[in-house]
Amino acid sequence: MLSQEFVSAAAIAASVLFILSLGGLSNQEKAKRAVWYGIVGMAVAILSTALGPRIGGFGWLIPMALIGAAVGVWLARKVEMTEMPQLVAALHSFVGLAAVFIGWNADMERTRVAAIKATGVSFDGLSAFATTLAHKTPAELTFLQVEVVLGLFIGAVTFTGSVVAFGKLAGKIGGKPHKLAGGHWLNGGAALLALILAIAYFNGAGFWTLFLIAALAFFIGWHLIMGIGGADMPVVVSMLNSYSGWAAAAIGFTLSNDLLIVTGALVGSSGAILSYIMCKAMNRNFVSVILGGFGTTQSEAAEIEGEQVAIDTGGVASALNDAENVIIVPGYGMAVAQAQNAVSDLVRKLRSAGKNVRFGIHPVAGRLPGHMNVLLAEARVPYDIVMEMDEINDDFAETDVVIVIGSNDIVNPAAQEDPGSPIAGMPVLKVWEAKQVFVCKRGQGTGYSGIENPLFFKENTRMLYGDARASIDALVPMID
């Protein structure tokens, strides 16, 4: 067993590694190293916790750790980048459910220790957590109860909310907002009832209050995320990331685990900041989104006139050969088709022909922040030609050809031109200002938000229908 001093030092080391990991992930060139910081930090955290003083039950602990590790390896090999958003949502649900179970268990241990104190039996042989409880003052035990309620409530909301987000991102649940009759009043009433039950719990009511608080929080999490539309799911994922962090921090206070407190605070604060940045990028009200669209109104989008005009790869290749400035805008469709390597080959061919080629990346392209950046880095696209929306948006008017690969909502001019559009006011890539726009798309379906895109009907836009990977592969040999 490790001494408490060694465990504390390991917690500090792991926290530093987590901070370095978060900081490095903001930069493509440092991202791979940052991932390793996180891996090493987590290994230090797990080992130092498992081998800490008065930690037992290795007959259960080791098999469970091995099973979890095996599942993790299997998921890492099986899950494609296209499925990362829903995987992240699913992993958030695990953190939330863990917080619920730990909250329930902590109260059971508190009750058991109180019973042992009343009988005057020795505390020898108790677990580290139970021994800690035995030496807490009444005021500290009251604070523990507050921690239990907070961790349990946040964890339960995170669990069901993440399950719904997973369903919507995976296409198993419809992307349109759905609320029960009463809408936000139901959420508010459930939260108020949970508060009343918490007060009853603080005043001596039994375990049943915690069970009902969890049930109410489960309902709130489900109803809250069901009421958020598919277009806002990227914000929801980062918001649930924040929730899972605060749930972990509450668990840390309950278990007197400094590492959990620090790690949870890091995840919670970074997730909240990311959610705010994404809301700003999508022109969404942060409070409105986290409350399930509270205060929003549904407007009617303007009708679109005209038709979508198709083009073949030969026509696109001819335009690319004549162009000097080319911008490529990737989206979720590129990820689905796993076309990033084909796109990388096209870029190398165009640059070798003397073309100025760059990428325009929207903050929420691919339904997950940084999704497209990771795919392009994986395909070895040079970092210096991958530009964020604010860096490149003013350059479209001077661009000869824009190739949109599997994007819809992030290049939708209705966001700026149609006040009645569900995405009105959302900052988008102004690809329609270019001389020619070619949209690589499987068919004539709508985007994830379920709304039509006027870009596809504009005079300077042509549709290259088909699988993105096959279409780009066919283009490469045609570039002079």
Side-chain angles (χ1 to χ4, degrees):
M1 293 294 179
L2 302 176
S3 66
Q4 185 57 50
E5 290 76 12
F6 188 92
V7 171
S8 298
I12 294 173
S15 299
V16 171
L17 286 168
F18 291 148
I19 293 171
L20 291 173
S21 180
L22 281 174
L25 289 173
S26 63
N27 183 291
Q28 279 182 279
E29 295 181 80
K30 299 178 181 178
K32 290 184 179 180
R33 188 190 314 157
V35 169
W36 278 106
Y37 286 146
I39 291 171
V40 174
M42 186 56 67
V44 171
I46 293 172
L47 290 174
S48 61
T49 300
L51 299 176
R54 299 182 66 83
I55 299 296
F58 290 104
W60 289 99
L61 185 62
I62 293 174
M64 292 298 101
L66 292 175
I67 291 171
V71 171
V73 171
W74 176 75
L75 283 174
R77 292 180 179 277
K78 178 181 180 295
V79 174
E80 302 289 345
M81 276 302 299
T82 53
E83 299 171 321
M84 282 302 295
Q86 49 263 47
L87 176 62
V88 171
L91 293 176
H92 292 160
S93 73
F94 296 157
V95 178
L97 192 59
V100 173
F101 287 150
I102 289 174
W104 283 341
N105 184 71
D107 186 69
M108 292 177 188
E109 284 289 272
R110 181 185 66 85
T111 304
R112 186 167 74 96
V113 168
I116 292 174
K117 274 187 174 181
T119 59
V121 178
S122 171
F123 293 124
D124 293 340
L126 291 179
S127 67
F129 178 62
T131 303
T132 302
L133 289 179
H135 294 91
K136 284 184 179 291
T137 65
E140 290 173 331
L141 287 173
T142 299
F143 190 71
L144 172 73
Q145 289 180 287
V146 174
E147 296 163 2
V148 166
V149 169
L150 286 176
L152 186 138
F153 185 85
I154 298 172
V157 170
T158 303
F159 173 68
T160 48
S162 297
V163 170
V164 173
F166 168 83
K168 289 197 172 191
L169 288 165
K172 300 179 184 298
I173 300 176
K176 293 183 179 180
H178 295 284
K179 291 188 181 75
L180 297 176
H184 299 292
W185 290 104
L186 283 175
N187 294 338
L192 180 61
L193 183 55
L195 178 61
I196 294 171
L197 289 167
I199 293 172
Y201 168 67
F202 298 147
N203 285 278
F207 178 81
W208 62 271
T209 54
L210 293 181
F211 184 83
L212 290 180
I213 288 171
L216 290 167
F218 283 144
F219 166 78
I220 292 172
W222 171 80
H223 194 228
L224 200 67
I225 307 305
M226 284 296 292
I228 300 177
D232 289 327
M233 273 303 112
V235 179
V236 171
V237 172
S238 61
M239 178 186 74
L240 289 169
N241 178 50
S242 179
Y243 287 180
S244 69
W246 298 125
I251 294 171
F253 280 109
T254 301
L255 300 177
S256 300
N257 187 307
D258 295 337
L259 183 56
L260 260 179
I261 296 171
V262 173
T263 304
L266 282 172
V267 174
S269 56
S270 61
I273 293 169
L274 180 59
S275 299
Y276 174 77
I277 292 172
M278 290 177 66
C279 280
K280 187 176 179 181
M282 297 173 68
N283 196 37
R284 291 290 191 264
N285 181 278
F286 181 68
V287 176
S288 174
V289 170
I290 65 175
L291 292 180
F294 181 79
T296 59
T297 57
Q298 187 67 36
S299 303
E300 290 293 329
E303 292 188 8
I304 302 173
E305 298 181 354
E307 61 179 353
Q308 298 182 18
V309 181
I311 193 172
D312 59 15
T313 51
V316 177
S318 178
L320 286 172
N321 285 326
D322 293 337
E324 293 184 5
N325 295 303
V326 178
I327 296 178
I328 299 174
V329 177
Y332 189 68
M334 185 186 79
V336 171
Q338 297 184 20
Q340 62 269 25
N341 289 309
V343 171
S344 181
D345 291 340
L346 177 63
V347 169
R348 281 193 288 271
K349 194 74 178 289
L350 289 170
R351 296 184 79 191
S352 65
K355 317 291 183 183
N356 177 29
V357 184
R358 292 175 295 167
F359 285 83
I361 308 295
H362 191 278
V364 296
R367 306 183 193 174
L368 192 71
H371 196 179
M372 294 299 101
N373 304 68
V374 172
L375 283 178
L376 295 176
E378 182 184 83
R380 300 186 183 279
V381 171
Y383 300 121
D384 59 339
I385 66 171
V386 179
M387 318 293 287
E388 298 296 329
M389 179 178 65
D390 293 338
E391 298 176 297
I392 204 168
N393 233 359
D394 292 335
D395 297 346
F396 283 109
E398 300 175 357
T399 301
D400 299 311
V401 172
V402 171
I403 302 179
V404 178
I405 306 175
S407 293
N408 193 317
D409 301 326
I410 63 171
V411 292
N412 193 331
Q416 296 188 1
E417 299 172 355
D418 180 10
S421 172
I423 61 171
M426 172 181 166
V428 292
L429 289 156
K430 297 183 285 188
V431 299
W432 59 90
E433 293 184 352
K435 294 176 183 176
Q436 297 181 85
V437 181
F438 299 108
V439 180
C440 188
K441 203 168 181 285
R442 285 183 180 272
Q444 296 186 356
T446 57
Y448 189 65
S449 64
I451 60 177
E452 192 59 84
N453 191 340
L455 170 70
F456 306 154
F457 300 84
K458 288 186 175 293
E459 292 183 1
N460 64 333
T461 299
R462 294 293 181 268
M463 308 298 294
L464 180 60
Y465 294 119
D467 178 79
R469 183 175 179 179
S471 297
I472 301 301
D473 276 337
L475 270 178
V476 175
M478 299 181 185
I479 304 302
D480 297 335

